[in-house]
């Protein structure tokens, strides 16, 4: 019960034994893959690589996006006269996303991303963090940010398609797109994780993920029942560091070569 006598939850024998043995595990874990390794957090505690690595992850994604955009523009410029419908904001964006996906899948970051998911699965399922257990876990995780990226891409594509077909089918493409996003973003996100944003990790990447997981569990034991401030929890997500690296990279590229 809390201080006011309200029911909070139940402590079982397994919880007590886990506390005594120092093997308590957080129910949910967030994480990110960076060019330098795996980052994990419970919101209150964090482990793995640090803030500079998270920043570099934003830089990496920014450079991949810029390269994808420039290559898409260069490739489609040659068909602007013969295929004007393809040389459009929708066509260029979709080709740029495709190139970005290929670059990400080929990179070593995709291996760290897979190791991060597999370690999180292992911890959340209460299994021992050893290479055999981690390697057996799926590379797809339902809370991965890839799902959100897929949803946003579908929304953009639907909006652009609706704009182009507004005279012929007013409102229908947008309506169908919203239904597609609502129904299909998770299945499509899982496919994107499997085929694009993760790849089978190397033994070294699995070991890197295991070290981050073990470090997180050690720190979590001493923080059970202690809640971090809202600002700390936001910082621990790593989103601010990644978005800063991404934004600065895009701004710098725009200053160096506008247009």
């Amino acid at each position: 019960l809390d201080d006011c006598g309200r029911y909070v939850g139940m402590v079982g024998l397994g919880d007590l034994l886990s506390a005594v043995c120092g093997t308590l595990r957080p129910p949910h874990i967030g994480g990110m893959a960076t060019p330098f390794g795996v980052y994990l957090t419970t919101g209150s505690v964090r482990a793995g690589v640090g803030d500079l690595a998270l920043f570099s992850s934003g830089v990496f994604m920014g450079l991949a996006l810029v390269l994808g955009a420039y290559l898409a523009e260069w490739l489609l410029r040659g068909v602007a006269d013969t295929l004007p419908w393809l040389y459009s904001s929708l066509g260029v964006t979709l080709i740029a996303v495709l190139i970005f996906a290929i670059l990400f899948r080929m990179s070593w970051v995709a291996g760290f991303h897979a190791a991060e998911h597999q370690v999180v699965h292992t911890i959340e399922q209460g299994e021992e963090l050893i290479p055999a257990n981690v390697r057996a876990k799926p590379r797809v995780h339902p809370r991965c940010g890839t799902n959100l990226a897929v949803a946003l891409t579908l929304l953009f594509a639907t909006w652009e398609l609706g704009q182009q077909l507004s005279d012929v089918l007013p409102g229908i493409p947008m309506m169908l797109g919203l239904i597609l996003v609502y129904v299909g973003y998770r299945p499509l996100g899982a496919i994107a994780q499997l085929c694009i944003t993760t790849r089978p990790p190397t033994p070294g990447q699995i070991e890197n993920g295991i070290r981050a997981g073990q470090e997180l569990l050690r720190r979590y034991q001493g923080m059970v029942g202690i809640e971090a401030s809202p600002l700390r929890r936001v910082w621990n997500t790593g989103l601010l560091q990644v978005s800063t690296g991404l934004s600065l990279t895009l701004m710098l590229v725009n200053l160096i070569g506008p247009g």
Side-chain angles (χ1 to χ4, degrees):
L1 306 179
D2 63 11
D3 295 337
C4 298
R6 293 171 296 196
Y7 176 76
V8 175
M10 181 179 293
V11 178
L13 180 60
D15 299 314
L16 294 175
L17 289 174
S18 295
V20 171
C21 298
T23 57
L24 288 171
R25 297 194 174 210
H28 300 293
I29 301 171
M32 287 190 183
T34 78
F36 297 98
V38 173
Y39 173 81
L40 297 174
T41 180
T42 66
S44 297
V45 295
R46 51 184 282 178
V49 295
D51 293 321
L52 285 178
L54 291 170
F55 178 86
S56 74
S57 187
V59 173
F60 167 80
M61 287 190 291
L63 292 175
L65 284 171
V66 169
L67 182 58
Y70 275 103
L71 287 176
E73 177 74 21
W74 177 74
L75 289 172
L76 295 182
R77 190 179 299 137
V79 297
D81 296 330
T82 56
L83 299 173
W85 59 270
L86 185 58
Y87 190 63
S88 62
S89 59
L90 176 59
V92 172
T93 300
L94 291 181
I95 297 300
V97 169
L98 177 61
I99 295 174
F100 171 83
I102 294 172
L103 293 174
F104 196 101
R105 183 62 165 75
M106 293 173 59
S107 73
W108 69 98
V109 180
F112 280 127
H113 194 192
E116 175 231 319
H117 284 183
Q118 292 173 308
V119 167
V120 170
H121 276 302
T122 304
I123 294 175
E124 291 181 342
Q125 294 175 20
E127 297 185 24
E128 185 181 1
L129 277 175
I130 57 175
N133 289 343
V134 173
R135 197 176 295 111
K137 296 297 179 289
R139 290 188 278 128
V140 175
H141 197 282
R143 297 194 305 274
C144 179
T146 301
N147 296 343
L148 178 60
V150 167
L152 293 175
T153 302
L154 288 174
L155 282 173
F156 173 80
T158 300
W159 172 261
E160 286 292 332
L161 186 61
Q163 294 294 103
Q164 295 183 16
L165 300 178
S166 58
D167 295 334
V168 182
L169 300 170
I172 294 179
M174 191 64 184
M175 186 184 305
L176 293 177
L178 290 174
I179 295 174
L180 175 63
V181 171
Y182 181 75
V183 174
Y185 84 96
R186 279 190 179 275
L188 292 175
I191 294 173
Q193 289 181 57
L194 194 62
C195 301
I196 299 174
T197 61
T198 70
R199 61 186 297 178
T202 66
Q205 289 170 330
I206 288 180
E207 287 293 340
N208 179 275
I210 288 175
R211 286 195 299 271
Q214 291 171 338
E215 180 185 0
L216 184 78
L217 292 177
R218 285 195 301 270
R219 294 180 176 179
Y220 179 74
Q221 308 306 315
M223 292 290 291
V224 175
I226 302 176
E227 288 294 328
S229 67
L231 288 178
R232 172 57 62 179
R233 295 183 70 87
V234 170
W235 182 258
N236 284 347
T237 64
L239 294 175
L240 291 176
Q241 298 91 316
V242 173
S243 59
T244 300
L246 174 62
S247 301
L248 290 178
T249 301
L250 297 179
M251 289 172 56
L252 182 61
V253 170
N254 187 57
L255 289 174
I256 294 175

